[in-house]
Amino acid sequence: WQSMIIEANERLDNSEELSFGYAIMDINADGVKELLFYREDNVLLAIFTIKDEKAYLLSTFWPKHSGVILSSGDILITSSGGAQDFEYTIYEIDILEDSGLQEKLTFGCSEGKYFKWTDSCYTEIRFNDVTELIQIYSDIIVLPNSRTGGSSLS
């Protein structure tokens, strides 16, 4: 939460208008609505769901660890460890998992080597493969305009 508070303060200091919003929506069509806090550019700040009839924090985000909702209902989290090191990880919501998220695919670059990690299998790939995967997972859900306040979507 500390990262979210710092970012919120920085954005409010640099902006004449509030640039955050929230939405309540069933991301993955499982019948359970999630609560999303996000920036106006659709980048997530936090996601909550319901687990054992209580609010359950799935993830929080910060500048080098950001997330968006894909049209598939999955969550794409991008992480950066520096100029050469980056990861894209696709998660699905799975409240049976301890974290509430089930990793489906990770790809990126570490120490100059491009990779894909899926089903406990690490594979070295080419830069063009990474570019292709980024294109495949680029269809994000556009969240309601944060300047209009919250929205409850079905």
Side-chain angles (χ1 to χ4, degrees), residues 84-107:
Q84 281 193 336
D85 294 341
F86 62 89
E87 282 186 3
Y88 292 78
T89 305
I90 313 299
Y91 291 94
E92 64 183 349
I93 296 173
D94 183 352
I95 60 171
L96 299 178
E97 288 289 316
D98 288 338
S99 69
L101 297 173
Q102 174 68 43
E103 184 177 326
K104 293 173 71 173
L105 168 69
T106 297
F107 60 93

Side-chain angles (χ1 to χ4, degrees), residues 107-121:
F107 60 93
C109 184
S110 178
E111 299 179 0
K113 295 182 180 179
Y114 298 100
F115 68 90
K116 179 171 76 170
W117 182 267
T118 184
D119 296 325
S120 301
C121 181

